[in-house]
């Protein structure tokens, strides 16, 4: 019974490149949440998605960031034209309807 | 807006010491409260939770009581072990269905043998 799977675990990008972070929710879960953790800080909510729908994106930066959760396949968090300030750990969590959220191990993005 | 404030870290204790990590919150309404633990290189794991005032959450020897009057949810353990070394996050959420959590900044705990 695999948990929430995120890949890659570590990602290095040069400034201006694109970063794609993937999250496969736990089996049976249809809700996905993305959080960002800056160094020595807590996690900050970014976006909440259900299959094919963005439910709440109040924590997403207005530019360069997008997220999707297609009918088939993992959820993708996409960061275009990355800058040094995007360096962080990005965590995905999944849940069922009215159930606890389980977190993945995170993707640590480093922008050089 | 809603927020969570945790005791500043890092916290270093000897094995078998008593642990308290303070957590207070600001919220309009009555949220559910959580403690998560993050071991090195891993994601967050739910440690315990409480959904209403005066509830006590407990797990693995850790406890926390939801105090509405002081808007607090302090984490305690009577005798810590080296394996408890981790980062601890206090969090709140409102919605019954959605798992949109508001986290504190985390407290790094190191237990020395």
């Amino acid at each position: 019974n695999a948990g929430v799977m995120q890949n890659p675990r570590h990602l290095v990008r040069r400034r201006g490149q694109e970063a794609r972070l993937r999250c496969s929710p736990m089996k049976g879960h249809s809700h996905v949440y993305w959080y960002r953790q800056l160094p020595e800080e807590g996690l900050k909510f970014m976006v909440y998605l259900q299959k094919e729908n963005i439910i709440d994106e109040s924590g997403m930066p207005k530019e360069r960031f997008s997220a999707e959760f297609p009918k088939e396949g993992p959820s993708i968090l996409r960061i275009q034209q990355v800058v040094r300030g995007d360096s962080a750990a990005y965590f995905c969590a999944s849940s069922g309807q009215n159930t606890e959220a389980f977190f993945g191990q995170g993707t640590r993005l480093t922008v050089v | 807006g809603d927020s969570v404030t945790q005791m500043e870290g890092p916290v270093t204790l000897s094995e078998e010491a008593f642990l308290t990590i303070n957590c207070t919150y600001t919220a309009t309404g009555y949220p559910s409260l959580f403690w998560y633990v993050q071991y090195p290189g891993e994601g967050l794991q739910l440690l315990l939770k409480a959904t209403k005032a005066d509830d006590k959450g407990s797990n693995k020897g850790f406890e926390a009581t939801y105090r509405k009057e002081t808007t607090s949810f302090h984490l305690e353990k009577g005798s810590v072990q080296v394996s408890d070394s981790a980062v601890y996050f206090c969090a709140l959420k409102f919605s019954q269905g959605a798992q949109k959590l508001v986290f504190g900044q985390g407290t790094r705990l190191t237990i020395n043998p």
Side-chain angles (χ1 to χ4, degrees):
Chain A
N1 182 19
V4 179
M5 303 300 292
Q6 289 189 249
N7 68 83
R9 292 289 307 276
H10 301 274
L11 181 61
V12 179
R13 284 288 177 267
R14 296 186 184 279
R15 281 178 294 170
Q17 290 185 320
E18 179 180 285
R20 279 183 176 243
L21 289 62
R22 294 175 187 77
C23 170
S24 296
M26 283 183 70
K27 187 176 181 180
H29 285 183
S30 58
H31 302 237
V32 166
Y33 310 80
W34 286 93
Y35 291 83
R36 176 165 63 175
Q37 183 182 28
L38 295 171
E40 303 303 320
E41 294 189 16
L43 280 71
K44 296 286 195 288
F45 169 80
M46 298 181 76
V47 62
Y48 162 37
L49 310 103
Q50 292 181 24
K51 283 287 186 181
E52 299 185 280
N53 289 304
I54 296 174
I55 306 301
D56 181 348
E57 55 182 347
S58 57
M60 286 280 270
K62 296 291 182 237
E63 298 178 347
R64 301 188 297 107
F65 285 72
S66 62
E68 63 177 11
F69 188 18
K71 188 176 180 181
E72 301 290 337
S75 175
I76 305 287
L77 179 67
R78 182 181 177 206
I79 312 172
Q80 295 178 290
Q81 298 171 354
V82 295
V83 301
R84 289 236 170 96
D86 296 333
S87 295
Y90 292 83
F91 288 95
C92 168
S94 75
S95 73
Q97 187 70 26
N98 293 324
T99 65
E100 171 197 338
F102 290 84
F103 282 80
Q105 293 182 299
T107 294
R108 280 154 181 82
L109 172 66
T110 302
V111 178
V112 298
Chain B
D2 304 326
S3 65
V4 175
T5 302
Q6 283 182 239
M7 169 179 171
E8 292 250 352
V11 173
T12 302
L13 296 171
S14 297
E15 206 165 20
E16 299 184 5
F18 183 85
L19 168 71
T20 300
I21 300 178
N22 290 339
C23 170
T24 57
Y25 67 90
T26 302
T28 49
Y30 303 106
S32 296
L33 300 173
F34 303 81
W35 276 99
Y36 281 84
V37 57
Q38 184 181 30
Y39 297 104
E42 297 190 11
L44 276 71
Q45 301 174 25
L46 178 63
L47 182 59
L48 53 85
K49 66 180 181 182
T51 57
K52 62 183 187 299
D54 299 325
D55 269 2
K56 178 186 281 189
S58 61
N59 186 25
K60 299 181 181 179
F62 291 90
E63 292 184 340
T65 301
Y66 190 141
R67 302 284 187 203
K68 187 177 71 173
E69 63 277 12
T70 54
T71 61
S72 65
F73 193 54
H74 304 322
L75 183 68
E76 296 182 335
K77 187 174 184 181
S79 177
V80 292
Q81 306 300 314
V82 172
S83 57
D84 293 327
S85 298
V87 181
Y88 291 81
F89 292 94
C90 186
L92 65 81
K93 84 172 181 81
F94 276 104
S95 174
Q96 182 69 16
Q99 296 290 324
K100 179 180 174 182
L101 293 151
V102 177
F103 285 91
Q105 73 272 32
T107 302
R108 183 176 299 277
L109 173 67
T110 301
I111 307 300
N112 293 321

